[in-house]
Amino acid sequence: CTVLTMSSTGPENLKLAQQDKQNLLDYCEDKKGEFSKPSRVTEWLTVSTKEVQNSSGISESIFKITIDVPAPASPTLCSKMIQPGVGKPRSKWDSTIYGYNEVADLGNDTIIIETLTNSVLMGLISGRSFVDCCARFELEDGAIMMTAHAVDHPETKGYVRGANQSSGMILMPDGNGGTRICWIIHSNPGGSIPKSLISRAIPDTAKNFGKGLRKAVQNPGKYDL
């Protein structure tokens, strides 16, 4: 997993964000058919996986999640609901998120931020801390991309440090006033978690995220949007 240090320059982080952008486009398009056949979790959510080897030769799973959010959920509204940040709506409706700590603003819609998560699977996986370089890109046809890639940062007491690699979302208009989200998760949650438990946790987390988002976009005024 490529992790930049906090001493890395802004341009290095911005370059990495551009690499993540291309990786997410490739994963979501999946022209080579490298991801497994999607498994339908609900009528509005599917999950597929792709196995890769990390730098230590250990097999890891990249998760590709598709979430349909009905009208009036435009990509712009969804992005405002999803984007990380202190005081942003997501910490209010996403039960997985405990809170955020902003580390640096690099400009060009790019920030470094720490995300603190609550425990999941009834406490089987404890709270995590992810410190990422997060970038936002506006794509063609009204689509919006949000990327995340780990940077090095002092650990937070009480949390296990996880690391994201080329993770993020592409939010695309569905043609009916809603949004289709392609969510790529390539993450090392840290600690000693069996791979089978991660395979259970990701779809469960995605389902809770989707339920929360689909409900939140129906009442944006509640979040001052």
Side-chain angles (χ1 to χ4, degrees):
C1 178
T2 302
V3 179
L4 289 183
T5 64
M6 285 303 295
S7 60
S8 299
T9 64
E12 287 178 341
N13 283 291
L14 295 174
K15 181 179 179 180
L16 185 62
Q18 289 291 336
Q19 294 173 351
D20 290 337
K21 176 183 177 182
Q22 187 58 54
N23 286 339
L24 259 66
L25 288 170
D26 292 342
Y27 289 151
C28 286
E29 291 178 358
D30 191 26
K31 291 181 178 179
K32 296 181 180 179
E34 296 177 329
F35 282 84
S36 64
K37 182 179 179 180
S39 173
R40 186 164 294 280
V41 179
T42 72
E43 63 180 7
W44 44 264
L45 186 150
T46 65
V47 178
S48 57
T49 59
K50 170 185 175 180
E51 296 301 310
V52 296
Q53 285 192 336
N54 63 21
S55 58
S56 301
I58 299 174
S59 177
E60 295 179 340
S61 296
I62 301 177
F63 292 84
K64 178 181 176 181
I65 299 160
T66 300
I67 300 174
D68 290 319
V69 187
S74 67
T76 297
L77 175 57
C78 286
S79 71
K80 291 179 179 179
M81 285 291 186
I82 294 169
Q83 73 177 102
V86 176
K88 301 293 186 182
R90 186 170 176 180
S91 60
K92 300 176 183 178
W93 61 260
D94 188 346
S95 61
T96 303
I97 303 298
Y98 176 78
Y100 296 103
N101 293 312
E102 295 184 6
V103 178
D105 187 342
L106 304 180
N108 296 309
D109 284 329
T110 306
I111 61 173
I112 294 176
I113 194 162
E114 179 182 31
T115 302
L116 302 176
T117 70
N118 293 311
S119 61
V120 297
L121 292 181
M122 299 179 67
L124 290 177
I125 299 178
S126 61
R128 258 53 185 172
S129 161
F130 295 90
V131 181
D132 296 300
C133 175
C134 295
R136 181 183 185 278
F137 301 93
E138 294 191 5
L139 308 179
E140 297 178 357
D141 302 323
I144 295 172
M145 178 187 289
M146 307 170 77
T147 66
H149 199 125
V151 298
D152 193 24
H153 190 67
E155 295 191 4
T156 300
K157 184 178 180 180
Y159 290 86
V160 177
R161 174 58 50 81
N164 290 312
Q165 183 172 359
S166 288
S167 297
M169 301 179 182
I170 301 179
L171 290 65
M172 301 163 282
D174 67 1
N176 297 305
T179 296
R180 168 159 288 191
I181 298 174
C182 175
W183 184 6
I184 300 297
I185 301 176
H186 185 187
S187 178
N188 178 354
S192 302
I193 303 176
K195 191 173 180 180
S196 59
L197 194 58
I198 296 174
S199 296
R200 284 177 54 196
I202 295 295
D204 187 67
T205 298
K207 182 179 179 180
N208 288 335
F209 168 88
K211 288 174 64 177
L213 177 60
R214 285 164 61 93
K215 181 178 179 180
V217 295
Q218 299 302 315
N219 187 13
K222 180 179 179 180
Y223 305 95
D224 298 324
L225 295 180

